[in-house]
Amino acid sequence: MKNYPKFTVIIPVKNSEDTLQKTFDSLRYQDYKNLEIIVMDGLSSDNTMEIVNNNSEIIDVIISEKDESSAAACNKAIDIATGDFIGFLYADDYLEMNALNLIADAAINEENTNIISYGLSIENLETKKIILESNKKKNISLNLNNILFKHVLNHFYKRDIFKKYGYLMPLYYDNTTFYSNDREFLIRLALNNVKNFVIEETLYKMTHHKNSYSGSRSGLVKIREEHIGIADSYLEKSNLSYYKQKKLIDFKSHNLSLLLVWYLYKRNLKKFIDVFNMGYDVKGYYWLIDIIKCPISELLYRASVKKWV
């Protein structure tokens, strides 16, 4: 008889009454018994807690209190989690049927793996149309190139990973909201040469809607700025290999080039000049190549995962 691992699913939530029920339904229909569900509510002011309480029969822990951020709430939940593996399920998102059984099979068959990764798709909440889908090992393997330049996907982590490499960063370096904390965490793991096992199937559905921050124009600018800050933070460390330093410099230049295109589109001359000078300081004359190369590479990658029909 297979010894199925215990999974802890952490759901950070605040004011998500429109999507949260589907999140719970996706867990209810998993047919996976060895499961712990922890809900961390950030003092919602809508009907979120009513939905949480209506689903309390499948929830093991409910905490509703003020937090610095969603990542801070997740860190609290990690401390009380009892699962062998921990995964995060956000209140706009849901798991595909049988996802946990497939992840469990991977955990059993790949005994020494610390991270199990799998495909993700982004679905328009209103039209139900799939916007993009990424489920190929070449895009999901935990290496610097993927983590720096491709979509950050969802994963289940052995609980000890957080003790060994640290928790999620709750706030950005200037103590503002940190929307790229998941990417920062994975960059940290990749820099420490942690590897993952990949299930080449789409098991996680992320929903895109008008209120999702990562889909807003202002959100995209802040995320690019956060990526630049992450690169700067790790480049200050002296123990990085030449390869890792080069990848982080390329990551910074890549995000600067995308900001440059954005400010050109917005006709913001001051910001355009500031970003251009920052890029030149990073790469010198090679920056002129990156201005063309990086936006094209970003478009080509996005075209490769976009669902065209």
Side-chain angles (χ1 to χ4, degrees):
M1 183 177 178
K2 292 183 179 179
N3 185 21
Y4 282 96
K6 183 175 184 179
F7 290 145
T8 295
V9 174
I10 296 171
I11 305 174
V13 60
K14 185 174 182 179
N15 297 336
S16 298
E17 62 181 4
D18 293 336
T19 56
L20 183 57
Q21 185 57 54
K22 190 166 187 177
T23 304
F24 286 135
D25 287 343
S26 76
L27 291 171
R28 180 178 282 106
Y29 302 140
Q30 285 298 309
D31 190 30
Y32 191 83
K33 306 304 181 186
N34 206 3
L35 174 63
E36 173 182 61
I37 299 173
I38 301 176
V39 174
M40 304 294 293
D41 172 66
L43 296 182
S44 295
S45 57
D46 62 1
N47 292 321
T48 290
M49 278 307 298
E50 181 180 345
I51 296 169
V52 170
N53 291 327
N54 287 341
N55 290 273
S56 61
E57 80 280 1
I58 67 167
I59 304 172
D60 296 275
V61 180
I62 300 172
I63 297 176
S64 183
E65 61 187 21
K66 183 175 176 59
D67 292 299
E68 285 183 310
S69 64
S70 172
C74 287
N75 288 340
K76 289 181 187 177
I78 291 169
D79 277 335
I80 62 176
T82 62
D84 304 301
F85 284 83
I86 295 174
F88 306 105
L89 179 60
Y90 298 97
D92 288 342
D93 308 335
Y94 62 96
L95 293 178
E96 290 281 37
M97 292 286 289
N98 208 38
L100 293 181
N101 281 306
L102 291 173
I103 297 167
D105 287 341
I108 293 167
N109 295 327
E110 303 294 328
E111 293 183 2
N112 295 321
T113 191
N114 290 310
I115 302 173
I116 299 170
S117 307
Y118 37 87
L120 167 149
S121 67
I122 299 179
E123 175 185 271
N124 185 292
L125 181 63
E126 295 180 359
T127 66
K128 308 303 179 186
K129 181 181 178 181
I130 301 299
I131 301 170
L132 67 82
E133 186 167 34
S134 180
N135 56 19
K136 301 301 182 186
K137 187 174 182 178
K138 66 177 182 178
N139 292 330
I140 306 176
S141 293
L142 207 167
N143 58 60
L144 267 182
N145 195 67
N146 282 345
I147 300 306
L148 295 175
F149 301 109
K150 298 180 181 180
H151 283 91
V152 171
L153 305 180
N154 210 271
H155 319 266
F156 268 82
Y157 305 92
K158 268 193 177 172
R159 195 168 71 239
D160 290 347
I161 281 282
F162 300 98
K163 294 178 181 178
K164 186 172 183 178
Y165 298 106
Y167 288 16
L168 303 175
M169 277 184 58
L171 295 172
Y172 188 56
Y173 305 105
D174 61 359
N175 289 324
T176 59
T177 302
F178 192 15
Y179 294 99
S180 305
N181 63 77
D182 51 351
R183 190 181 296 271
E184 189 282 328
F185 182 67
L186 288 166
I187 290 172
R188 200 187 318 161
L189 296 182
L191 288 172
N192 281 283
N193 303 313
V194 179
K195 302 300 180 185
N196 62 339
F197 177 81
V198 174
I199 301 172
E200 289 189 290
E201 294 190 42
T202 299
L203 304 182
Y204 192 100
K205 287 286 185 72
M206 178 185 295
T207 56
H208 174 88
H209 53 89
K210 62 181 179 180
N211 294 321
S212 56
Y213 187 86
S214 61
S216 70
R217 298 302 174 96
S218 61
L220 290 174
V221 170
K222 185 174 190 314
I223 287 170
R224 293 298 174 193
E225 292 172 343
E226 288 178 354
H227 290 177
I228 293 165
I230 293 169
D232 284 339
S233 174
Y234 281 109
L235 284 168
E236 291 175 358
K237 302 182 184 302
S238 59
N239 60 341
L240 294 177
S241 67
Y242 171 78
Y243 170 79
K244 291 174 182 177
Q245 288 180 9
K246 183 178 183 305
K247 280 296 180 183
L248 287 167
I249 290 170
D250 289 344
F251 180 54
K252 181 175 181 178
S253 181
H254 183 86
N255 284 280
L256 283 169
S257 72
L258 296 179
L259 279 179
L260 190 77
V261 171
W262 172 250
Y263 289 127
L264 177 64
Y265 168 73
K266 297 295 289 185
R267 299 179 184 177
N268 188 328
L269 182 61
K270 183 180 183 309
K271 288 283 190 180
F272 179 89
I273 293 173
D274 289 344
V275 171
F276 182 89
N277 289 334
M278 289 174 64
Y280 188 80
D281 288 342
V282 173
K283 296 290 287 281
Y285 289 113
Y286 290 103
W287 166 238
L288 301 177
I289 298 173
D290 282 1
I291 289 172
I292 299 171
K293 182 185 74 174
C294 293
I296 291 175
S297 68
E298 181 79 8
L299 287 172
L300 289 174
Y301 164 67
R302 288 182 175 273
S304 72
V305 295
K306 180 179 173 61
K307 293 291 287 186
W308 294 96
V309 292

